[in-house]
Amino acid sequence: VKLTLVAAEDEAALLPGQPTRVWRYTATVVRGPASTVQALPGSYLGPVLRFRRGQQVRVRFENRLTEPSIVHWHGLDVPESADGHPRLAIAGGREYVYDFEVINRAGTYWYHPHPHMRTGAQAYHGLSGVIIVSDPEDDGLELPAGDAELVLVLQDRRFDANNQLVYAA
């Protein structure tokens, strides 16, 4: 599967009144099943990425932020060059290409930024998303799928009087 993953500034209606400035991942499928990317309507978080064990993945990451960033595939066993180590962070306006095979068992993982000293702030402002890996063993369990499946992310956020996120390291 080939994807394009973009990190950019955006706005979201999180509370009544003024929109909140957020940083958001968006993704598009370049090649492979359209179901690989599942947008979450009403969420400012990145889309759910659905991979299968044994699948070859190529992600072209575009950093459209005004500061360096890189993506870490939290929990996935990937090669060092695809791990999103802080030393690999790229400046705004640059791209980084990840190539890896999904070798993990079925499970829920997540992706998030990993630049040196800015991981927390970037994730707090919205740069994170869920990865769901499936495999033949998982398929045989007849777990809820489609509209019966619930992807749940709990977060604790603080807002100022203008509905803007307040981050404290």
Side-chain angles (χ1 to χ4, degrees), residues 74-128:
H74 201 101
L76 292 186
D77 187 7
V78 297
E80 181 271 335
S81 62
D83 190 46
H85 189 278
R87 69 177 171 69
L88 300 174
I90 57 170
R94 303 291 303 247
E95 296 180 355
Y96 190 89
V97 177
Y98 301 85
D99 282 301
F100 58 89
E101 178 182 353
V102 179
I103 61 174
N104 293 69
R105 293 183 60 199
T108 303
Y109 305 90
W110 68 299
Y111 59 101
H112 61 83
H114 209 246
H116 185 63
M117 302 301 292
R118 292 293 294 159
T119 299
Q122 289 187 10
Y124 190 88
H125 284 88
L127 292 181
S128 64

Side-chain angles (χ1 to χ4, degrees), residues 3 27 29 33-41 45-50 111 130 132 146-147 149-151:
L3 306 176
V29 177
S35 60
T36 302
V37 173
Q38 177 191 356
L40 298 173
L45 298 179
V48 175
L49 303 180
R50 294 180 179 276
Y111 59 101
V130 172
I132 297 177
D147 291 340
E149 181 183 53
L150 177 64
V151 176

Side-chain angles (χ1 to χ4, degrees), residues 131-162:
I131 301 167
I132 297 177
V133 174
S134 58
D135 65 16
E137 181 181 354
D138 182 56
D139 296 342
L141 297 176
E142 299 181 20
L143 296 171
D147 291 340
E149 181 183 53
L150 177 64
V151 176
L152 182 63
V153 176
L154 300 177
Q155 298 182 316
D156 184 13
R157 297 292 185 264
R158 194 171 277 161
F159 296 86
D160 67 16
N162 295 315

